[in-house]
Every structure is written in structure tokens, then in C-alpha cells.
Amino acid sequence: MNAAEQIEKQRTDQLTDRLKMDLLNVDFSQISRTSAKIHPEWESLLQLTQLSVTEELGPEFTLSKDISQFSLYMYPTLNFDFVSGILIYNMAGFLLDDWLDKFPSENEKWIQQLRNKNFPGNGKMDKWWQLAIKLCREVMGEIVLTQLLDNWIYSISKADKVNTIYIGHVSLPDKDFLELRCIDAGTSHQFFLVLAGVGKQLTAELAQDPNYLGLNKQVALHTSVINDLYSLRKEIRDDLYRYNYVYVKMMNNNLSAQAATDAIMQEIRDAEKMARVYGDRMKEMNDPQLSLYVDGMYDIIAGNHYWSTFCKRYNDL
């Protein structure tokens, strides 16, 4: 490296360090947490689910405290067996998501296994998925299981675009980035889980209902953007901050880190407000199951936000 290149590298490093410091110092404390409920039988749920995991897979397989709390705060009103199944499903899902972030070359292998509902390996993640498939089939039924796995396939194939289009620089408008972020965060899995948990089938009519679609979209935006805010410090530490919505907002709109964060906080408030507008309209349909579904969506907003503030995944720095 010649002298000119060294000077340019030093200048770039200084700019990067200053950018990271600005991002680290943003304040998003003005976002008020909606009060979150935990599942009333949470202690028994954790103990008995871990017992079934140990019996099925062995003592070396343990539920993550973080992922378990995520489920217990997201689904406080669903029945015991259903939430126990979700604990294991979410455990398998988080492991797969982290694995594919590190080894994207294995996407096709996992897509094929999801499509076949068959995880034939003896590795730890295969074992988790074998148990998740078994429990989803028993507790949620074959239709919901198929919907969930199809959604995983869609998420994996779409999320690849984040890695291929968006490496090292911003090349996606805010709206396009957010749409991919919602897919990458797997938010639509939660909608299938709540719908099945309240005993409602996803009919063709419901799938096209503007209030159902509007509610889901606003909840997806809220949860994805909340996750981006609370995971920001972790992503700076891991040098992945360019994949964060705060950075995208800064670069696309020529904003400071704090100004971008302030704009995002307003988007979060707007998303919750609009979710409740769509939810109230759905409740006017006088369908008891859909009313429970709407309440479940509100639980997801509150539970995901609350969990994001203390989970080890984001805060163990």
C-alpha cells in the first residue's frame, strides 16, 4: 500500500469510526412500551417443554431462555400445548436463521428439507427441526405446518436479496428495504401461529380482506423496525450496521443518526396507530375468532417490544 492509499484508508477508517459512534449514541427511549403480558402458566410451560425436549432429544438440548421468553410474551393468551409447540418451533427457526446468516450457501439444502418436511441429518439443528415438525403436526395440524414451512421457504429465498443486493452500501429505497426486512425477520410466521392458535382457517376471502392485510402489514412493520432499533448496538459490534434500518434511513435521506432514529420512532408510532385502526375494523365483523386474532396481534406488538428491551440476543454486549 503506497502513501496515498494509506492516507485514504486512514481517512475512511476515521469516517467509519465517527459514523459508528454517532449510531451508538442515538436515543430511542421516547418509544413507550405497551404493557406486555407473560403467559399465565409460563413456569410450567418452560419446565414441561424442556422435559419433553430432554426426553426426546437428550440432556444436551436445552431451550434458549431468550427464545422462550420471546414466545411467552408474544403469545400470552394461547393454550398451553400450542405455546409449548411454539417454543420448540421458534427455537428451531432462530437456529436456522442464524445458521443461514453464517452459511448462505446451504440455503438450497434447507429449502429442500423444509419442502419435504424431512430433516434426515443427525446434527443439532436437524434434531430440533425433527421435533418441531412432529409437534407442529400434532398440535397445529398439517395445513398450518405446511403454511409455516412454505413461509420459511419464501423467507429464505427472498432474504437472499438482502445479501446479494445490499452489501457494503445502500442501494435500496427505504420502502423496498423495509419490505425485505419484514420478510427477513419472519414476521408472517407469527400471523400463521396466532391464526391457528385461535382456531381460524386462512380462507381465500380472509387472505384478500384489506383490514386483515392492513393489520398484518402494520404489525410486521412495527416488529421489524423495533428489532432494528434494539439490535443496532449488536450490529455495530458485529460490523453489520449497514443492514440496519437506521443506517439505511441516514444514507438515503442525508440525515444524522439521531434524526434518522427520530423519523423511525415516528414510523413505529404510526404503525401501531394504524394497526389498531385495522384491528378495530376487524372486530366490527363480529367474528369471535377474528377478534381473538386481533388481540393476538396486539400481544405481538407489545410482547416483541418488551422482549427486545431486555433479551440477551440484543443486549449482551
Side-chain angles (χ1 to χ4, degrees):
M1 184 183 295
N2 60 37
E5 289 172 334
Q6 287 179 335
I7 292 171
E8 179 59 25
K9 182 180 184 304
Q10 185 178 28
R11 189 185 72 84
T12 301
D13 289 346
Q14 288 172 346
L15 288 172
T16 299
D17 290 343
R18 193 178 309 136
L19 171 62
K20 288 182 177 180
M21 189 59 64
D22 287 345
L23 287 167
L24 279 171
N25 288 328
V26 297
D27 176 19
F28 50 88
S29 60
Q30 294 177 47
I31 292 291
S32 300
R33 290 201 303 269
T34 308
S35 114
K37 298 173 286 185
I38 193 167
H39 197 284
E41 299 175 277
W42 67 272
E43 292 182 74
S44 296
L45 264 166
L46 287 178
Q47 291 170 2
L48 292 176
T49 304
Q50 181 57 63
L51 181 63
S52 67
V53 168
T54 301
E55 290 177 346
E56 192 87 21
L57 302 179
E60 70 275 20
F61 288 80
T62 56
L63 288 168
S64 158
K65 181 181 178 182
D66 256 5
I67 296 168
S68 299
Q69 287 176 325
F70 175 76
S71 305
L72 292 166
Y73 280 105
M74 295 267 273
Y75 307 103
T77 57
L78 299 187
N79 74 54
F80 190 101
D81 288 343
F82 212 94
V83 177
S84 182
I86 290 174
L87 290 179
I88 292 171
Y89 172 78
N90 278 342
M91 184 77 193
F94 271 81
L95 288 172
L96 179 57
D97 184 54
D98 286 346
W99 180 269
L100 292 178
D101 283 345
K102 295 173 185 174
F103 305 103
S105 61
E106 296 197 16
N107 283 7
E108 284 304 318
K109 181 192 87 171
W110 285 98
I111 284 174
Q112 194 58 46
Q113 292 183 187
L114 289 164
R115 185 173 286 120
N116 295 335
K117 303 177 188 174
N118 181 30
F119 298 85
N122 289 315
K124 207 159 191 177
M125 192 157 57
D126 286 275
K127 295 290 187 182
W128 274 114
W129 272 104
Q130 289 164 19
L131 182 56
I133 292 288
K134 176 184 174 184
L135 284 182
C136 285
R137 184 175 275 124
E138 290 174 356
V139 177
M140 305 175 194
E142 196 70 35
I143 292 174
V144 176
L145 171 60
T146 300
Q147 290 172 336
L148 287 168
L149 298 184
D150 284 350
N151 196 258
W152 262 110
I153 291 168
Y154 179 75
S155 298
I156 292 170
S157 59
K158 281 285 187 181
D160 266 357
K161 289 189 177 181
V162 175
N163 296 322
T164 56
I165 296 174
Y166 181 73
I167 297 177
H169 62 282
V170 174
S171 57
L172 293 174
D174 292 3
K175 179 177 178 293
D176 294 341
F177 178 85
L178 267 181
E179 286 179 0
L180 283 175
R181 185 69 191 86
C182 288
I183 294 167
D184 190 36
T187 51
S188 50
H189 296 283
Q190 316 311 327
F191 309 153
F192 285 121
L193 290 169
V194 176
L195 200 64
V198 301
K200 186 73 176 176
Q201 289 288 331
L202 181 60
T203 61
E205 182 182 13
L206 180 59
Q208 296 173 10
D209 183 87
N211 293 315
Y212 172 78
L213 294 173
L215 174 63
N216 290 355
K217 179 180 179 180
Q218 297 304 320
V219 173
L221 289 172
H222 192 286
T223 56
S224 298
V225 177
I226 283 288
N227 288 165
D228 263 26
L229 279 185
Y230 282 93
S231 65
L232 179 59
R233 287 189 305 154
K234 175 183 183 297
E235 288 166 358
I236 294 169
R237 181 197 65 186
D238 297 342
D239 202 32
L240 295 172
Y241 61 91
R242 292 180 181 87
Y243 293 85
N244 191 284
Y245 187 40
V246 178
Y247 176 82
V248 172
K249 196 82 171 172
M250 287 175 67
M251 297 297 110
N252 281 349
N253 301 279
N254 194 28
L255 298 173
S256 68
Q258 188 60 55
T261 302
D262 291 344
I264 289 169
M265 286 193 292
Q266 187 58 52
E267 290 176 14
I268 290 169
R269 296 186 193 99
D270 291 343
E272 181 164 3
K273 179 181 177 181
M274 287 307 302
R276 293 186 181 277
V277 168
Y278 288 118
D280 288 347
R281 290 175 185 168
M282 287 183 70
K283 287 198 169 192
E284 291 172 1
M285 296 167 69
N286 294 319
D287 182 325
Q289 290 172 314
L290 280 184
S291 291
L292 290 174
Y293 177 75
V294 171
D295 290 338
M297 291 291 98
Y298 298 161
D299 287 335
I300 282 180
I301 287 176
N304 175 70
H305 193 167
Y306 185 78
W307 172 82
S308 298
T309 65
F310 67 78
C311 69
K312 185 176 178 182
R313 185 178 178 88
Y314 296 159
N315 298 292
D316 185 26
L317 300 176

